[in-house]
Amino acid sequence: MPETLENVVIKGKALKDWSIADHNHALDTLGAHIYEPFSGVLVKGAGSNPYMLKIVKTTDAGEIETEVVDGLACYSAVPFGHNDPVIIPAVQAFLERMATIPRSISHTYLGPWLEKLKDFTGMDMFLPKNGGTEAVEAAIKVVRKWTRAHGGPDGTGITGTPVIISAKKAFHGRGLGSTSLMDDPASREGLEPLLPGTVQVKFNDLAEMEQAFADHQGNVAGVILEPIQAEAGVIVPDDDYLGSVQALAKKHNALFVLDEIQTGFGRTGANFAWQRLGLERPDLITIGKAMGGGILPVSCLCGKQELMEVFVPHSEGSTFGGYPLAAFVGLLTIVEFEKRDLARQAKEKGAYLMESLRKVGERHPGKIKEVRGRGMLIGVEVADGIDGHDLSERMLEHGVYAKETHHTNLRIAPPIVIDQAGMDKIAQALDESLAEMG
Ligand code: PLP
């Protein structure tokens, strides 16, 4: 933090003198209560290597500074780790010469970034956005717009309400469209009616999917799925599930959309999860998180040309989508991602980490139901009687930040650049934490 900001007085204290209690008070009283953060801990910045975080925590002896392994990578958004020696100086230098302009005038990085996105994703056209949920909202628009004109069994357009099928327990973000795709009661409460024509079926259940197509015969516009349900607790479908759904959608002239916001950019051991499964190219994919190099919210809707051409001037837009900094960071991220072969790294290291975590589970019979995942996206499902939030708090005590989902699963998704010592530390922290529980 620049010296000047450190010395700014806020609520009677220079910022550098704020205690953990001061920070907590501000968050409790002024921040909307949307998460359940750890209470006695504050992250101060990057640690001594790319996968460590420097934290301050409250102890009996007062506040102490220490480091923990980042086992979450900002929900998979930090592929290179923190304070990357290539990304940070390059962006610093860019900031010194950067101008901020909107999409109504071109700039020097947008075209090259789009070309690189085309090579990297295999898709034809791109709509850059910022947060992941915005890309999902845009995908819903394309599905509705295109199928209104060209959908339905005979390709002459859906005349009724276009139906979009998604999966139960899915997570697609916090927009009203994304929320409409999700069945989570806490997310939906007080918001009904949500988007009409949204239907959720059990994930990894082809029969339910077929039934939904039959129930809405003639009006199914598209299917939107995560290749692996991350927030739900890293639920990996059967290898043939997504391919079968894709074939079903094709048969019904409905669009097949994958939300790769969390699974993309190497996380599951391939650039994109659909490539690992040998699927045909999806009609649309949404990407985000890691595509911003771990430093910027950058997302994108990527699609086949004829679909993306539903957008015409004034039908869509975003002030910061594809602005110079986003394009620069987006391009640099793909270049560095490929140079370091992060997809291969995630595959190889993920296999090691998953095996280590499974061995820990075996040492604690009855406490872990399953360790599952692909690449560096790993879920540890805890047995009844073990609370995931409690486990994640203990993990932090033992030097690893890893957050639970729904109190039943611990998600382990460290920066892909993590080394063996870091992975061993995660396994050790799980071992030590489980030993204290149950
Ligand atoms: N889609 C998936 C699969 C996600 O995992 C997330 C975030 O976790 C989102 C969409 C929403 O992304 P954002 O939080 O950037 O809006």
Side-chain angles (χ1 to χ4, degrees):
M1 197 181 307
E3 197 52 35
T4 46
L5 207 49
E6 279 273 271
N7 289 322
V8 167
V9 174
I10 294 177
K11 199 119 197 284
K13 261 189 196 175
L15 207 45
K16 63 179 180 341
D17 297 327
W18 271 45
S19 66
I20 294 179
D22 294 327
H23 286 279
N24 281 346
H25 178 74
L27 285 181
D28 284 347
T29 54
L30 305 173
H33 297 160
I34 51 171
Y35 287 95
E36 297 175 285
F38 300 116
S39 56
V41 182
L42 205 62
V43 174
K44 291 201 87 173
S48 51
N49 71 41
Y51 60 82
M52 302 288 279
L53 298 169
K54 189 195 288 178
I55 66 164
V56 199
K57 66 177 184 179
T58 317
T59 66
D60 294 342
E63 291 185 5
I64 59 157
E65 222 174 82
T66 181
E67 291 199 359
V68 294
V69 172
D70 181 359
L72 190 63
C74 194
Y75 300 113
S76 303
V78 179
F80 306 116
H82 308 282
N83 205 2
D84 182 80
V86 175
I87 305 279
I88 300 301
V91 173
Q92 275 169 342
F94 178 73
L95 288 174
E96 282 171 22
R97 59 181 200 274
M98 167 177 138
T100 295
I101 48 151
R103 276 295 299 279
S104 48
I105 182 165
S106 300
H107 62 82
T108 45
Y109 286 98
L110 185 56
W113 181 40
L114 296 179
E115 289 289 353
K116 196 75 192 159
L117 273 170
K118 181 173 163 58
D119 287 349
F120 187 64
T121 63
M123 304 307 281
D124 302 328
M125 290 181 81
F126 305 90
L127 175 67
K129 292 277 183 172
N130 313 283
T133 195
E134 294 173 71
V136 177
E137 298 294 321
I140 294 171
K141 287 187 183 179
V142 174
V143 170
R144 287 185 139 209
K145 274 171 171 282
W146 188 84
T147 55
R148 276 256 159 77
H150 307 287
D154 55 9
T156 54
I158 291 175
T159 47
T161 302
V163 170
I164 301 180
I165 305 171
S166 55
K168 290 181 177 155
K169 299 193 175 159
F171 188 82
H172 296 291
R174 296 300 185 178
L176 280 176
S178 325
T179 302
S180 307
L181 303 176
M182 294 154 36
D183 70 333
D184 172 38
S187 303
R188 297 177 72 101
E189 198 197 334
L191 299 177
E192 312 271 359
L194 283 158
L195 199 63
T198 45
V199 173
Q200 289 93 45
V201 298
K202 194 168 168 211
F203 189 58
N204 197 26
D205 186 327
L206 190 60
E208 271 208 22
M209 183 63 81
E210 285 168 341
Q211 190 58 49
F213 271 87
D215 289 348
H216 301 281
Q217 181 69 35
N219 286 324
V220 180
V223 179
I224 301 186
L225 295 172
E226 295 161 90
I228 291 175
Q229 289 192 319
E231 293 294 320
V234 189
I235 312 297
V236 184
D238 297 339
D239 273 352
D240 58 355
Y241 173 69
L242 291 172
S244 303
V245 176
Q246 185 172 40
L248 191 62
K250 196 171 180 179
K251 185 171 131 199
H252 290 267
N253 192 29
L255 300 181
F256 179 70
V257 185
L258 287 183
D259 181 345
E260 293 249 22
I261 287 167
Q262 184 139 181
T263 52
F265 280 74
R267 184 52 57 184
T268 70
N271 287 358
F272 296 96
W274 68 268
Q275 295 163 330
R276 188 179 57 77
L277 292 166
L279 301 183
E280 276 179 37
R281 197 168 67 130
D283 295 306
L284 299 166
I285 60 171
T286 52
I287 58 177
K289 291 189 188 272
M291 76 180 298
I295 59 168
L296 204 67
V298 181
S299 69
C300 194
L301 174 65
C302 318
K304 292 182 178 169
Q305 181 167 351
E306 67 160 328
L307 306 178
M308 296 297 283
E309 282 180 345
V310 297
F311 290 129
V312 293
H314 311 300
S315 64
E316 245 298 331
S318 166
T319 303
F320 285 105
Y323 84 123
L325 182 58
F328 180 87
V329 169
L331 178 56
L332 180 63
T333 296
I334 301 177
V335 169
E336 284 299 312
F337 181 95
E338 288 181 327
K339 213 184 273 174
R340 302 182 206 186
D341 206 355
L342 283 197
R344 183 188 51 78
Q345 285 200 39
K347 188 172 176 199
E348 291 172 6
K349 293 177 186 175
Y352 174 82
L353 181 55
M354 190 129 58
E355 190 49 33
S356 309
L357 296 172
R358 283 195 176 129
K359 282 188 188 145
V360 171
E362 284 161 16
R363 279 202 290 281
H364 299 275
K367 295 186 185 173
I368 296 294
K369 270 192 193 157
E370 194 183 13
V371 177
R372 57 175 175 255
R374 290 286 181 272
M376 279 286 196
L377 184 58
I378 300 174
V380 177
E381 186 172 347
V382 293
D384 302 340
I386 301 269
D387 177 66
H389 189 70
D390 187 12
L391 177 58
S392 64
E393 284 194 325
R394 285 170 198 266
M395 292 279 289
L396 195 64
E397 278 302 306
H398 290 289
V400 173
Y401 171 49
K403 194 81 178 74
E404 93 285 357
T405 63
H406 305 290
H407 291 259
T408 51
N409 289 277
L410 198 65
R411 183 179 14 183
I412 312 271
I416 296 173
V417 296
I418 193 169
D419 59 16
Q420 186 168 339
M423 293 190 282
D424 290 346
K425 177 79 188 156
I426 294 175
Q428 186 190 344
L430 182 65
D431 200 14
E432 290 166 351
S433 303
L434 287 173
E436 298 167 357
M437 301 176 79

